[in-house]
Amino acid sequence: MPKRRCIQFVYIALLVISLTLGQLLPQPALEVSADGYIKWVDFTLTAELLRAAAECDVASWQTARESGREQRVHFVELLALCGAIYGGDYSRLGASKLKEYAAKLEAGATIYDLTENHKNLEYYLEAYGAALGGVMGDYAVYTSEGLSKRYGVKLFSPIAAGYYYNDYDDFGASRSYGYRRPHLGHDMMGSVGTPIVAVESGYVEACGWNQYGGWRIGIRSFDGKRYYYYAHLRRGHPYNDIYEGKQITAGEVIGYLGMTGYSTKEDTNNIDTPHLHFGLQLIFDKSQKDGTNQIWLDLYEYTIFLSRLRSEVYYDKETNEFYAASPIIDLDAPD
């Protein structure tokens, strides 16, 4: 066979093999239980994509407000579209490409027009809706001119403004106290006493001593789908007026960083390095809260996204507590 024909033959053969493998390779596993609820969410969105999607949402809201037409670009829908197209692998998706999809939606296309994989789209709409449903919304702040209503990101970093911390992606790392298990949260190292603020508004579902987390707080979002876990709070003075059932607003000081835990004895420092254990659990079915199908997210990129959203706080000598300097009023909160 002539050399040129041989090369052409090999090229065509490789092309056929490549196309065949592309059809045979498994698609992203959309894990749904026999009972019909999601049992796993692979949360791989980057801080860059989260910020770009938030910017597109706010810009679209502003355009809709000025023109009087309905908003066409929504934070969760845009990210769900990208999830359906890229199968959760965002290595090939940057902010510029995401904004191209946003522009098409702004021009009148629907998320269903832009992807053929509607099954995946429905999955990501539900999964990202649960994980990110509280990110965008209506809120208000008090200014010198009175109450100012706004729209945008209404979450905060768990570490108050002006306080240093460092972190790395330690989700899934091994832990051995009590029993061997993976680390299902994100550790943020800082100084004892650093004010910790609520990331999202919600209700205090749990507080008090836990031998693993020490002094800890669990806050459930208003829609019930997100459970925020703040652990290893300060010995002796872990909380700022926290009790089960209390309604909390994002940015509010809820406690103080410490190193408690790894002990059955209350108020014990058995953690080597002062840090906040910050966790986020998704709940699609009530059996998942404390059952075997728990879903905890890797929050490393998420905390980078939140790092620019820091709640300013001040110290009150009379109460010996820190408070939010400009607390928000969550207009989506229940009455």
Side-chain angles (χ1 to χ4, degrees):
M1 180 183 296
K3 183 176 181 181
R4 177 175 293 181
R5 289 191 61 191
C6 181
I7 293 174
Q8 290 175 337
F9 177 80
V10 171
Y11 174 79
I12 293 171
L14 289 173
L15 180 61
V16 171
I17 292 172
S18 176
L19 292 172
T20 303
L21 285 175
Q23 294 174 341
L24 294 177
L25 285 174
Q27 295 299 309
L30 309 184
E31 299 196 33
V32 179
S33 74
D35 295 324
Y37 61 84
I38 291 175
K39 60 181 182 179
W40 178 253
V41 175
D42 192 14
F43 192 69
T44 55
L45 289 163
T46 65
E48 177 191 32
L49 294 176
L50 290 167
R51 285 171 179 158
E55 290 171 5
C56 291
D57 186 307
V58 172
S60 180
W61 175 86
Q62 186 66 38
T63 300
R65 184 184 182 190
E66 294 171 353
S67 65
R69 65 176 176 77
E70 184 179 353
Q71 181 184 356
R72 293 185 178 275
V73 179
H74 298 272
F75 180 72
V76 169
E77 290 185 356
L78 179 57
L79 292 171
L81 170 65
C82 294
I85 294 174
Y86 290 88
D89 177 9
Y90 302 114
S91 59
R92 296 176 291 116
L93 175 65
S96 60
K97 187 64 177 179
L98 180 142
K99 290 180 179 180
E100 287 182 21
Y101 293 127
K104 292 179 181 180
L105 294 173
E106 192 73 33
T110 71
I111 54 176
Y112 294 94
D113 294 333
L114 299 180
T115 178
E116 297 179 356
N117 199 334
H118 291 176
K119 181 180 178 180
N120 277 20
L121 180 57
E122 293 295 337
Y123 169 83
Y124 281 106
L125 282 171
E126 185 173 0
Y128 287 174
L132 303 168
V135 173
M136 310 295 297
D138 297 304
Y139 65 96
V141 295
Y142 281 103
T143 68
S144 58
E145 299 177 352
L147 190 66
S148 175
K149 293 184 178 181
R150 301 175 182 180
Y151 175 85
V153 178
K154 55 179 185 175
L155 302 189
F156 290 90
S157 165
I159 305 294
Y163 289 85
Y164 172 80
Y165 71 90
N166 64 78
D167 61 349
Y168 60 94
D169 194 352
D170 58 345
F171 187 82
S174 178
R175 294 291 185 270
S176 59
Y177 174 79
Y179 60 97
R180 296 197 67 83
R181 63 197 186 282
H183 185 232
L184 298 178
H186 180 65
D187 288 344
M188 306 176 76
M189 278 63 72
S191 300
V192 172
T194 293
I196 303 302
V197 307
V199 171
E200 182 180 347
S201 303
Y203 296 105
V204 177
E205 187 170 291
C207 61
W209 184 262
N210 176 286
Q211 67 169 310
Y212 301 98
W215 294 120
R216 92 299 192 202
I217 302 172
I219 298 177
R220 183 84 76 108
S221 62
F222 291 133
D223 64 8
K225 295 179 181 179
R226 293 170 296 286
Y227 178 76
Y228 293 89
Y229 185 67
Y230 309 81
H232 307 314
L233 301 180
R234 181 173 61 182
R235 184 174 68 178
H237 187 177
Y239 305 134
N240 181 356
D241 189 26
I242 289 296
Y243 54 87
E244 290 186 12
K246 181 181 181 180
Q247 183 168 318
I248 298 292
T249 301
E252 178 179 344
V253 178
I254 57 176
Y256 304 98
L257 188 147
M259 49 196 301
T260 60
Y262 284 16
S263 175
T264 56
K265 182 180 178 181
E266 285 193 4
D267 212 26
T268 300
N269 278 342
N270 265 354
I271 302 296
D272 294 332
T273 304
H275 70 274
L276 171 71
H277 171 105
F278 173 45
L280 176 55
Q281 180 186 16
L282 301 187
I283 302 169
F284 296 92
D285 183 85
K286 62 182 180 180
S287 65
Q288 294 178 296
K289 176 60 174 64
D290 299 306
T292 56
N293 288 327
Q294 295 183 24
I295 301 174
W296 293 89
L297 302 184
D298 184 342
L299 297 177
Y300 178 63
E301 289 288 335
Y302 198 54
T303 54
I304 296 175
F305 167 63
L306 296 174
S307 65
R308 298 179 184 177
L309 305 163
R310 310 284 293 276
S311 179
E312 298 283 347
V313 300
Y314 70 92
Y315 176 67
D316 187 317
K317 291 182 179 179
E318 292 186 5
T319 63
N320 191 32
E321 303 284 7
F322 284 83
Y323 300 94
S326 301
I328 71 165
I329 300 171
D330 193 334
L331 299 180
D332 296 322
D335 295 331

